[in-house]
Amino acid sequence: MTDTQQTYREALEELRAIHARLRDDEVDIDTLLADVQRASDLLAFCRDRLNSVGERLEEVLTDFE
């Protein structure tokens, strides 16, 4: 699934799964870099999504004033 098709909730669930794998005492070193990179991408996606929703909420609330 590409980030443009992914929802915030799906990204958060994927981040939780990566976090669980990274906390495992037997982290797979062969996938470590890929997991960390994917987590970085997901965090950026979530941050951008939260920012855009926050901006849009401010616009909507300003319209009510």
Side-chain angles (χ1 to χ4, degrees):
M1 177 179 304
T2 64
D3 286 345
T4 57
Q5 297 172 333
Q6 189 168 44
T7 66
Y8 179 85
R9 182 180 304 267
E10 291 167 338
L12 195 55
E13 288 173 9
E14 189 176 349
L15 273 169
R16 288 181 178 141
I18 291 170
H19 180 254
R21 284 195 303 272
L22 294 177
R23 289 183 50 100
D24 189 345
D25 288 337
E26 296 181 22
V27 174
D28 182 359
I29 195 71
D30 295 323
T31 61
L32 177 64
L33 179 58
D35 279 346
V36 171
Q37 181 60 57
R38 180 63 180 153
S40 176
D41 294 344
L42 289 165
L43 286 168
F45 170 82
C46 289
R47 181 186 58 240
D48 291 346
R49 184 73 177 125
L50 286 170
N51 287 337
S52 67
V53 168
E55 290 171 4
R56 182 65 183 124
L57 281 172
E58 285 182 28
E59 291 172 7
V60 169
L61 293 176
T62 299
D63 291 343
F64 282 118
E65 293 179 357

